[in-house]
Amino acid sequence: MNEQDYLPLAYLNAWEYCPRRFFLEYQLGEMADNEHIILGRHLHRNIDREGESQEGDTIVYRQQWVWSDRLLINGVIDAVEEREGELIPLEYKKGRMARHLNDHFQLCGAALCLEERTGRTIALGEIFYYANRRRERVLFTPELRQATEEGIKAAQAAILGAIPAPIDHRKKCRDCSLRGICLPVEMKQLRR
């Protein structure tokens, strides 16, 4: 299978956030910066360095490339920590800790790749949210694994379809860098 057929993990996050945004970015190549994107890029500048380090009894592997031939996904995990023989994928996000299912999908997708690559079971991962300066522990439950795999299949199927309609979620649309390209309010008015 060609690497171009693999869905990047970051786009799995975009799919769960908004299918229309996913389509605009992945299929049409539309990108735009706003304050959220710029701040996220700025905060990631120190994380985006490959390498291995020891922090106490934890080994930290930064910028780990992973893929799943079974699911046809790939990408870079911000870090993988090895503690007491367990691998723990770690993502860094600029926002506040909340129940961001899109972040959980991306992290779970990374864990599924790690499991396939290593043959080890990954029970949980963590997301560090800069705004809170705290880590959220994400358990890879059977429900999250199933929802993530269903999201992967849905995103892969959507690539071949028509552009999805705008979602009905004011806060997501307000914070989206593609709002000026997507035009969710205008599209909804036209469809009435």
Side-chain angles (χ1 to χ4, degrees):
M1 189 63 56
N2 189 327
E3 185 183 327
Q4 293 176 342
D5 297 328
Y6 285 60
L7 180 68
L9 291 169
Y11 286 111
L12 180 57
N13 188 313
W15 169 261
E16 178 54 33
Y17 187 83
C18 170
R20 184 173 174 88
R21 177 191 175 106
F22 162 81
F23 193 92
L24 288 167
E25 287 182 341
Y26 185 78
Q27 192 65 6
L28 301 182
E30 296 288 354
M31 296 291 174
D33 285 347
N34 67 6
E35 65 274 15
H36 302 291
I37 301 293
I38 293 168
L39 180 57
R41 197 177 297 134
H42 175 73
L43 293 171
H44 257 82
R45 74 191 183 285
N46 293 323
I47 298 162
D48 292 342
R49 293 193 180 118
E50 259 184 77
E52 180 181 325
S53 62
Q54 183 93 25
E55 297 175 7
D57 59 355
T58 301
I59 301 172
V60 181
Y61 307 95
R62 297 203 182 283
Q63 295 296 292
Q64 295 298 298
W65 177 255
V66 294
W67 68 95
S68 168
D69 294 323
R70 178 178 71 85
L71 297 170
L72 297 179
I73 57 175
N74 65 15
V76 176
I77 304 172
D78 289 336
V80 177
E81 295 183 345
E82 188 169 5
R83 289 184 230 145
E84 299 173 6
E86 298 294 321
L87 295 177
I88 301 165
L90 175 62
E91 281 293 323
Y92 291 85
K93 301 294 180 185
K94 73 146 201 73
R96 295 195 163 283
M97 185 184 300
R99 182 121 173 91
H100 298 294
L101 191 56
N102 52 309
D103 292 344
H104 293 190
F105 270 31
Q106 180 180 0
L107 188 65
C108 186
L112 294 168
C113 291
L114 268 176
E115 287 180 339
E116 187 174 318
R117 300 276 50 90
T118 65
R120 297 162 73 177
T121 300
I122 312 292
L124 61 93
E126 295 180 347
I127 303 170
F128 179 83
Y129 288 98
Y130 280 102
N132 302 85
R133 309 239 9 112
R134 292 179 51 209
R135 285 188 183 197
E136 176 186 17
R137 177 172 277 188
V138 178
L139 299 177
F140 300 131
T141 63
E143 295 80 16
L144 179 57
R145 289 169 181 272
Q146 180 180 348
T148 301
E149 289 198 30
E150 288 171 1
I152 292 165
K153 289 176 188 163
Q156 290 165 334
I159 293 166
L160 305 173
I163 186 169
I167 61 172
D168 192 20
H169 196 296
R170 267 191 198 155
K171 185 178 181 314
K172 282 186 177 183
C173 291
R174 181 196 71 210
D175 294 342
C176 182
S177 65
L178 297 185
R179 184 180 59 211
I181 296 168
C182 174
L183 303 171
V185 173
E186 296 82 353
M187 289 299 297
K188 288 174 190 169
Q189 287 175 348
L190 287 172
R191 290 178 179 212
R192 284 188 196 139

